[in-house]
Amino acid sequence: MKFSEQIKPISYLKSHAAEIIRDFDNNKNPLIITQNGEAKMVVMDIRSYEQQQETMALLKILALGNQQIEQGKFQDSASFFAEMEQEDQQ
């Protein structure tokens, strides 16, 4: 993906909104909108946004798991399964 091809001024967004929406069917790359030459926002299709949010949620879970391991807040598998077997027997 070439970001240079996906950078447009806000005036382009205002005058081509319908076209931009149609283009998202073929081109899933986000559109970077500038104002006064400075990047101000990103426009993307909803499916890409949802996928990005799911990915971020999974990454947060992994980071939390790694943090808990570093803090010693974990249980080895043998003791976990032994505990589960005891619960099943009760």
Side-chain angles (χ1 to χ4, degrees):
M1 165 176 45
K2 291 184 179 181
F3 281 120
S4 61
E5 295 173 3
Q6 296 302 114
I7 299 172
K8 302 290 182 191
I10 196 164
S11 59
Y12 180 85
L13 175 65
K14 291 176 183 177
S15 61
H16 294 87
E19 178 186 340
I20 291 168
I21 292 169
R22 276 193 308 273
D23 286 348
F24 277 132
D25 287 337
N26 300 322
N27 181 6
K28 302 295 183 195
N29 295 331
L31 186 62
I32 299 166
I33 302 299
T34 63
Q35 185 176 35
N36 298 324
E38 185 179 336
K40 291 290 186 177
M41 63 184 283
V42 175
V43 178
M44 62 192 327
D45 72 291
I46 189 67
R47 286 184 202 96
S48 296
Y49 176 78
E50 289 170 341
Q51 288 174 343
Q52 183 181 53
Q53 292 303 303
E54 289 174 10
T55 300
M56 292 297 291
L58 289 173
L59 289 172
K60 286 179 183 180
I61 290 169
L62 288 172
L64 179 60
N66 285 337
Q67 184 181 35
Q68 289 175 338
I69 289 169
E70 289 173 3
Q71 294 172 352
K73 298 179 180 177
F74 65 92
Q75 183 178 13
D76 64 78
S77 61
S79 64
F80 172 80
F81 286 116
E83 188 178 309
M84 290 295 109
E85 285 180 25
Q86 284 179 342
E87 288 184 19
D88 284 344
Q89 294 172 1
Q90 293 176 0

